[in-house]
Amino acid sequence: MTQDTADALHTLAHEHLPAEIAARWIGLLRPGLALANATATDAEAEAATDADAQPGPRSVVGRLGGLPELPEDQEWPVWEGHGPLSFIASVDCALLPSDALDIALPKDGTLAFFYFDGHLDDGRAMVHPRDPDSWAAARVLYVPAGVPVTERAAPEGLRPYRHVPLTTWVETTAPYPWHPVVYGEFEPMPDDHPLWGEDFQEAMEDHPGCLHQIGGHASPDQDEVETEVAHGVLGGPPWNDPRIPEEALRWVLLAQFGSDDDAGMMWGDLGSLYWLIRPQDLAERRFDRAMFTWQCG
C-alpha cells in the first residue's frame, strides 16, 4: 500500500471513529492500482487521486482509447444484433506493480477492455448485469505475452476515443459503507452505527477515490457494484434475497474506468464503467467470465 494514502485513511478513521471500530475498519482496506494520464502535470495527478503526485517522467503502463493491438486470429468484439464494441482501455500486466495487489493479476500479457457505448444506436440498447442478453456488450480480452499482435482499425462507423497514455501507482482503497464486507465485519449495524455517522461520512467524501483503477475496492457512483453484479448473476431475485450479499462477496473489482475529458469519454452523467471477476476465474485467466456494470451520479 502507498504509505501516504494508508496513513491518511488511518488518521481519518482514528479521528472520527471509536478506536476499536477504527482498527477493524482499517483491516478492511485493500490495495489498488490508480491509473492516471501519464502526461498530466503534478497538480493534475494530485487532483486525480489522493496519492502524492509522482515527480518527473511517469512510466506508461497502458492507455485509454486509441486503437487496440490484437492477435491476427482475434476478431473485433461484437454484440450480435447491435454492432461492434468500442475499445476503452488496455494495460500491460508486466508493467503493473501487481505484487502489491491482493488479487492474482497476470504477471505478463495484456488486458483489453471493450464496451458497447451507445454511439452506434444513440444509446437505445441498455447494458446491465440483470439482462443476460446484454452481457456480450462488455468484454475483457487477455492477450498472453509473446503472441504477435497488430494494431486494428476501428470498424466502420465506430469513432475511437482519444489515446491517453496511463501511468500507475499503488493506492489504498476503502470499502463502500454499505458493502457486504462491512456488514460482515460489523453486523449487527444499527442506524446510529459510527461508520454511518455524519462526521465520518463527510470525511470520507472529502477523501477522493480513483478515477481509473485496477483491483482494490471499487469507487461506486451509486451503490456497491458487487451487489449489482450478484443480483444479475442470480437471475434478478428480490433485493432482500439473502443470496445476494453472499454472492456479492464472491466478486472482486478487476478494473474501473471513469468519465475522462482527455480521452473524450463520458459515461452518462460523469459515470464509471466497472468490470468484476471471481478470484478463481481470475487465477484461471477466464476473463470471458468477467461481469460488467456501470453507474453514474
Side-chain angles (χ1 to χ4, degrees), residues 43-74:
E44 289 170 336
E46 287 178 346
T49 177
D50 61 333
D52 287 343
Q54 307 297 309
R58 299 176 178 87
S59 59
V60 173
V61 301
R63 58 192 169 117
L64 298 174
L67 296 173
E69 295 180 343
L70 299 174
E72 292 183 2
D73 61 352
Q74 174 66 60

Side-chain angles (χ1 to χ4, degrees), residues 63 65-72 76 148-154 163:
R63 58 192 169 117
L67 296 173
E69 295 180 343
L70 299 174
E72 292 183 2
W76 189 288
V149 296
T150 57
E151 184 177 272
R152 296 289 188 86
H163 181 161

Side-chain angles (χ1 to χ4, degrees), residues 2-51:
T2 300
Q3 190 64 35
D4 291 333
T5 54
D7 286 349
L9 286 169
H10 290 196
T11 299
L12 184 154
H14 286 299
E15 286 181 348
H16 298 280
L17 298 171
E20 185 264 345
I21 291 178
R24 291 166 64 188
W25 182 81
I26 288 170
L28 300 179
L29 301 179
R30 295 180 55 212
L33 301 180
L35 299 171
N37 191 335
T39 62
T41 66
D42 286 349
E44 289 170 336
E46 287 178 346
T49 177
D50 61 333

